Amino acid sequence: IAKAMEEVDVKESESDQLERDLIYKVFRSDLPAAHMIMLRELIEKIGDISDSAERVSHRIEFISLKKRI
């Protein structure tokens, strides 16, 4: 389980970096402001999924640790 938890943490960190990079690129583009805002919101919502996966991973780890005690 520990290896899987570590993998989730790594992927979530990569996702956070990708989210920041994409938002930066969106706002450096020539898109209309309304499109930029909608894309930023979409990117953030996708990032929320990654954050949720990390929280679930931590809960699983906690439950696993509790069962060992």
Side-chain angles (χ1 to χ4, degrees):
I1 291 179
K3 185 173 178 162
M5 301 300 150
E6 184 178 329
E7 178 83 15
V8 170
D9 284 341
V10 168
K11 294 295 182 185
E12 199 282 329
S13 293
E14 290 172 0
S15 173
D16 285 344
Q17 184 62 48
L18 183 58
E19 180 180 346
R20 287 188 293 272
D21 292 346
L22 285 172
I23 290 172
Y24 174 80
K25 288 177 182 179
V26 164
F27 281 94
R28 300 271 302 164
S29 73
D30 293 332
L31 292 170
H35 291 174
M36 289 181 195
I37 292 168
M38 289 185 340
L39 280 171
R40 184 197 70 213
E41 290 174 0
L42 175 62
I43 293 165
E44 288 173 346
K45 292 291 182 192
I46 293 169
D48 291 345
I49 295 169
S50 174
D51 294 339
S52 293
E54 184 180 39
R55 283 192 300 276
V56 169
S57 170
H58 288 182
R59 287 182 187 152
I60 291 170
E61 184 177 29
F62 179 72
I63 291 167
S64 173
L65 291 172
K66 279 179 66 173
K67 290 192 181 252
R68 291 185 205 163
I69 296 176

